[in-house]
Amino acid sequence: MAATAAALQFSAQVSSLNNYNDLHPDWTQREVSTGTTIMAVEFDGGVVMGADSRTTTGSYIANRVTDKLTPIHDRIFCCRSGSAADTQAIADAVTYQLGFHSIELDEAPLVQTAASLFRDMCYRYREELMAGIIVAGWDQRRGGQVYTVPVGGMLTRQPVSVGGSGSSYIYGYVDSNYRTGMNKEECLKFTAGALTLAMERDGSSGGVVRMAIITEKGVERQVILGNQLPQFSTV
Amino acid sequence: MERLQLHSQIKGVSTGTTILAVKFNGGVIIGSDSRASMGESYVSSKTINKLIQVHDRIFCCISGSLADAQAVTKMAKFQLSFHSIQMDSPPLVKAAASIMKELCYNNKEELQAGFITAGWDRKKGPQIYTVALGGMMLSQPFAIGGSGSTYIYGYVDAKFKPDMTLEEATQFSKNALALAMGRDNVSGGVVHLVVITEAGAKHVVVPGDKLPKFHNE
């Protein structure tokens, strides 16, 4: 156990080399994870959310066309990263709680309420869970909003938020390219560009780019296939 | 590189760092931050220079354990000058990188340092070689390294163009380093840049308040 714990401090490649065994391939010993890249951006009138589509069990890609943008309510979605099982369970629980709350209130729920429910669960069970979630949507009171609930259970609102294993590689790109006051098309281009760059560098992210645009009018879904992704000169 | 980032937070004084090198039309620019850290929370030096000159027109940027990097570059500098005297001509950048690589590969169990070797020589002009942790050597049009480099992969992939002018390459380097220093807590301080061309090497220091600022600052 101690040896495994020590091995886990190092990169995945090191520990899987030590455990290599033809009879038990890598993916039978690994948890399913959405090692991933997720992102959400606020604009005036709504939000744009994006994610890659790869779910891995160790080095095996269990699902190459995953939809990581999960509806929580009519105009509230969440992007999931971390353990696939944990995030699915949390999203299901919050969807139930929010639906009940919305019926009690007899009106559409606030994005902040959804984010708060995620935070309560992620913080209370922080020792057992491995989940990084971005909650985004539109409501009547505050328009488009993006809230991030990273591992550990913090809650904060940000105009642009990135998450998942691939997000490390695009902090520089996001910091330099984001401007306040972008419109919907600019946000779509920005999101697609950032996700493409992350997918090219992160082994746990890949496949297609899925996006959702949430406004007062409703939700619009888009998919950008692999050969339609934006091209960068060195990529 | 992942092991490097984890170890740099455990092993003694280390240059948790951001280094880069970029080829432009007529030369190379190499750059780094100036922070040396012990663990994640103590900055042991705010003004360290990570751009080591190993010959007139060949520099090495260092990352990882400071002690290991200094020992390797000192040895490489000696071997390179000896080689240059034997050959009676300025050394090739590839020769310098090769010497670093031999040292890193043959001592891979003990060493914890990565390098970017860049410079200009008469045979092939401006060149950049990465010498990674285990001793791999790779020639690239641009290279980034150190713990802060993870945050700027997307930026450099998007923004790099071959055959930039000196001004474009300088701006590219300053932006990339400023972005990495803004997100990596073990990179910081000032930006050191060295421009290497046929004419020689020029060292520029960009203090913190003159660095480009981005939307969240």
Side-chain angles (χ1 to χ4, degrees):
Chain A
M1 237 357 226
T4 326
L8 282 169
Q9 278 181 356
F10 300 100
S11 69
Q13 291 87 35
V14 176
S15 58
S16 65
L17 275 173
N18 293 337
N19 295 335
Y20 183 70
N21 183 344
D22 264 327
L23 293 173
H24 297 289
D26 172 59
W27 53 264
T28 58
Q29 289 156 353
R30 303 300 203 110
E31 202 201 326
V32 177
S33 120
T34 46
T36 186
T37 317
I38 52 177
M39 181 169 169
V41 192
E42 288 177 9
F43 65 92
D44 184 20
V47 294
V48 169
M49 305 172 74
D52 73 304
S53 70
R54 182 173 289 186
T55 306
T56 49
T57 346
S59 55
Y60 173 65
I61 300 174
N63 186 351
R64 61 187 173 95
V65 285
T66 323
D67 188 1
K68 301 178 191 177
L69 305 177
T70 309
I72 305 296
H73 205 267
D74 293 345
R75 284 173 184 68
I76 306 175
F77 268 59
C78 75
C79 317
R80 303 178 290 112
S81 73
S83 154
D86 287 350
T87 55
Q88 284 177 357
I90 298 168
D92 286 348
V94 171
T95 306
Y96 159 72
Q97 292 169 349
L98 198 66
F100 192 81
H101 169 74
S102 167
I103 288 169
E104 280 186 315
L105 237 55
D106 195 23
E107 64 183 42
L110 297 176
V111 186
Q112 186 179 16
T113 311
S116 225
L117 289 168
F118 272 105
R119 183 269 314 273
D120 288 348
M121 194 161 292
C122 291
Y123 180 68
R124 184 179 296 265
Y125 299 108
R126 58 185 295 173
E127 302 303 323
E128 287 92 17
L129 294 174
M130 175 63 93
I133 296 176
I134 300 178
V135 186
W138 182 94
D139 64 45
Q140 183 82 3
R141 189 182 294 184
R142 296 199 184 100
Q145 298 145 77
V146 171
Y147 294 88
T148 180
V149 182
V151 169
M154 171 185 89
L155 169 64
T156 187
R157 181 179 172 188
Q158 295 179 309
V160 56
S161 187
V162 296
S165 56
S167 68
S168 320
Y169 304 106
I170 49 173
Y171 275 109
Y173 180 81
V174 168
D175 283 343
S176 61
N177 281 60
Y178 174 73
R179 303 173 323 269
T180 47
M182 291 198 286
N183 64 25
K184 185 181 103 171
E185 279 67 37
E186 288 169 324
C187 286
L188 284 167
K189 197 152 163 268
F190 172 59
T191 306
L195 289 170
T196 304
L197 289 163
M199 282 156 59
E200 289 291 329
R201 285 290 182 178
D202 181 30
S204 313
S205 302
V208 304
V209 168
R210 292 198 189 271
M211 296 200 284
I213 307 123
I214 310 176
T215 58
E216 182 174 7
K217 296 199 185 62
V219 178
E220 187 196 326
R221 297 298 311 258
Q222 281 188 13
V223 179
I224 307 181
L225 300 179
N227 60 341
Q228 297 162 342
L229 293 170
Q231 305 274 4
F232 296 96
S233 68
T234 55
V235 163
Chain B
M1 266 310 174
E2 255 177 83
R3 233 173 92 216
L4 170 70
Q5 289 144 33
L6 286 165
H7 264 88
S8 71
Q9 281 150 15
I10 303 170
K11 190 186 181 187
V13 178
S14 93
T15 48
T17 186
T18 315
I19 50 177
L20 65 71
V22 182
K23 252 198 278 196
F24 67 92
N25 209 350
V28 293
I29 296 186
I30 60 173
S32 78
D33 71 308
S34 70
R35 180 173 289 185
S37 51
M38 275 164 88
E40 292 142 30
S41 51
Y42 179 64
V43 176
S44 49
S45 170
K46 295 185 278 186
T47 52
I48 190 177
N49 187 3
K50 301 176 194 177
L51 307 177
I52 314 288
Q53 183 161 24
V54 292
H55 207 267
D56 294 345
R57 287 175 185 69
I58 307 177
F59 276 69
C60 266
C61 343
I62 58 178
S63 70
S65 156
L66 194 49
D68 288 349
Q70 285 180 344
V72 171
T73 47
K74 200 163 174 199
M75 177 74 97
K77 202 169 170 179
F78 162 72
Q79 288 187 2
L80 196 63
S81 71
F82 194 76
H83 168 75
S84 166
I85 289 168
Q86 279 187 316
M87 305 298 282
D88 196 23
S89 74
L92 299 178
V93 185
K94 192 164 188 181
S98 233
I99 291 170
M100 308 287 296
K101 180 256 294 173
E102 284 296 301
L103 290 166
C104 289
Y105 181 70
N106 292 331
N107 298 296
K108 63 159 69 175
E109 306 301 325
E110 285 90 21
L111 292 175
Q112 198 87 48
F115 305 90
I116 298 178
T117 306
W120 183 95
D121 64 44
R122 183 170 298 256
K123 186 171 171 192
K124 279 194 184 164
Q127 294 146 78
I128 298 172
Y129 295 90
T130 302
V131 178
L133 216 51
M136 169 187 83
M137 185 173 90
L138 197 57
S139 171
Q140 298 175 298
F142 73 90
I144 55 178
S147 57
S149 67
T150 30
Y151 305 106
I152 49 172
Y153 272 104
Y155 179 80
V156 299
D157 280 343
K159 276 291 190 291
F160 174 75
K161 306 186 314 277
D163 279 330
M164 290 191 276
T165 64
L166 173 58
E167 287 72 32
E168 288 173 327
T170 310
Q171 194 59 47
F172 172 83
S173 307
K174 277 198 252 182
N175 285 346
L177 287 167
L179 287 164
M181 284 155 63
R183 284 290 181 178
D184 184 25
N185 64 326
V186 289
S187 298
V190 304
V191 162
H192 289 285
L193 292 174
V194 175
V195 181
I196 309 171
T197 57
E198 182 172 2
K202 200 167 80 122
H203 187 176
V204 175
V205 175
V206 185
D209 57 347
K210 301 276 189 301
L211 286 173
K213 287 199 185 313
F214 300 96
H215 75 97
N216 53 0
E217 296 162 77

